[in-house]
Amino acid sequence: MSDDTSVYFVVGLIPVSPGGPGFCTPAFRDDAGKKFFLQSMRHRRAIEAFTHVGDQISPSTFFSFRPNGEFRTGERPYTGFRFPDGSIIFEKRNIVHDLVISRIGELVDYPFIFFQVARLSRSPELIQYALGFTEIDEAVKNGWIKLKSSEPQFGWTYSNELTLRTMTSNGHSASAIARELGTSRNAVLSKIKRLRLKSRYDDRQQWLFDDFPTETDPSKWRISSPHVYSAAGVAIQRSGVYALPPTPPDASSFNKNQRSFLGPDDGNSED
């Protein structure tokens, strides 16, 4: 840590994106009025020193901003953020991050800024939403953005959704579509369900009823396979032979042991 005991003051912000919203780096002057200094951070947790970067900064990359407050080495680093509506927040880095994440919905028209904030949030849902932007999808495919192993690797862009619709209508399986898009089979099936697309799996489900018994009383069905499906009190089988139960034998032909096994008849047992 530097032994610098000087006091510094913010005189402006340097935006990452001069023409739009985004994070801004504060520029400082010292207590003698000398400009311009930037924070030198140690593991991004504390200001290790204020580094002099020159007496001038191009006006195209700098705008005046003078919040109240004195800044010293050893303190938590500060940063700023400019929103699309022109409002600016300036605070300690961790506070700014939390505030920006809470207002991420205002950044949907700026895909790369949205993606940057989504990464800060470490939210798989927000990152996957960001991957749905065509610009982000192309940047990932071209290797301009490297995704971490812990981050989602796929998002539903317009192009990916169009491929899904086309391949689904052509009868391709979910596995084949997943291989083409570079995602999982479950993700494809979930998207098909959300879009209410007709797929080959709908036809497979219809096959359950192809050999439906003609007997209208389900209690009289006999299914020759243990692979039985039940729904709404009706048992059906994916495939197999259906038949009515055989005609029961005449009870008068039973011997004594058989009648004893069946129990008393009309409340009267035989001797």
Side-chain angles (χ1 to χ4, degrees):
M1 189 71 66
S2 172
D3 295 330
D4 184 7
T5 58
S6 301
V7 177
Y8 293 84
F9 304 88
V10 175
V11 294
L13 296 176
I14 304 172
V16 174
S17 176
F23 287 98
C24 304
T25 300
F28 299 84
R29 69 168 177 84
D30 63 12
D31 48 6
K34 184 178 181 180
K35 303 175 183 178
F36 288 97
F37 294 84
L38 299 182
Q39 302 167 107
S40 176
M41 292 172 283
R42 184 176 185 181
H43 305 301
R44 299 188 178 182
R45 297 178 181 176
I47 302 174
E48 187 173 29
F50 287 89
T51 304
H52 185 250
V53 294
D55 297 329
Q56 293 183 347
I57 296 179
S58 172
S60 62
T61 60
F62 173 85
F63 62 90
S64 179
F65 181 76
R66 299 176 182 271
N68 295 326
E70 300 177 347
F71 305 88
R72 297 176 174 83
T73 58
E75 296 180 351
R76 297 291 294 270
Y78 282 73
T79 192
F81 191 92
R82 181 170 59 186
F83 286 94
D85 61 3
S87 61
I88 297 172
I89 54 176
F90 179 79
E91 253 296 350
K92 290 182 175 68
R93 177 186 291 267
N94 59 317
I95 296 176
V96 171
H97 287 180
D98 291 341
L99 290 173
V100 174
I101 291 169
S102 69
R103 297 174 59 178
I104 192 172
E106 301 177 33
L107 305 174
V108 292
D109 292 330
Y110 304 89
F112 289 99
I113 301 298
F114 187 101
F115 179 70
Q116 182 184 16
V117 175
R119 272 188 147 176
L120 286 175
S121 73
R122 298 184 180 180
S123 165
E125 292 78 15
L126 288 178
I127 295 174
Q128 189 164 30
Y129 186 91
L131 291 174
F133 292 116
T134 302
E135 297 88 342
I136 303 300
D137 183 61
E138 291 180 355
V140 171
K141 290 179 178 178
N142 290 323
W144 303 331
I145 293 178
K146 301 292 185 181
L147 296 175
K148 301 176 182 177
S149 59
S150 59
E151 295 177 335
Q153 305 293 309
F154 179 81
W156 285 107
T157 63
Y158 174 79
S159 175
N160 289 338
E161 185 175 313
L162 183 61
T163 300
L164 170 73
R165 290 177 180 273
T166 302
M167 295 186 69
T168 299
S169 64
N170 291 336
H172 291 279
S173 68
S175 297
I177 299 173
R179 286 193 297 271
E180 175 68 22
L181 296 177
T183 185
S184 67
R185 178 176 178 274
N186 286 341
V188 169
L189 291 174
S190 297
K191 190 65 173 178
I192 289 174
K193 183 176 180 181
R194 288 196 297 273
L195 295 176
R196 298 182 180 181
L197 301 178
K198 179 176 175 58
S199 69
R200 58 188 294 178
Y201 299 98
D202 297 326
D203 296 333
R204 287 185 180 180
Q205 293 174 6
Q206 184 61 40
W207 295 342
L208 295 173
F209 300 91
D210 287 348
D211 298 325
F212 202 82
T214 56
E215 172 59 51
T216 58
D217 184 359
S219 65
K220 296 181 180 180
W221 297 349
R222 180 170 62 85
I223 301 177
S224 61
S225 169
H227 303 290
V228 177
Y229 294 81
S230 298
V234 178
I236 60 175
Q237 186 185 20
R238 180 170 56 191
S239 61
V241 179
Y242 297 86
L244 294 177
T247 303
D250 186 357
S252 61
S253 63
F254 290 172
N255 59 34
K256 183 176 181 180
N257 288 337
Q258 290 173 324
R259 290 196 297 272
S260 176
F261 176 79
L262 293 174
D265 182 16
D266 295 330
N268 298 318
S269 60
E270 291 188 355
D271 294 332

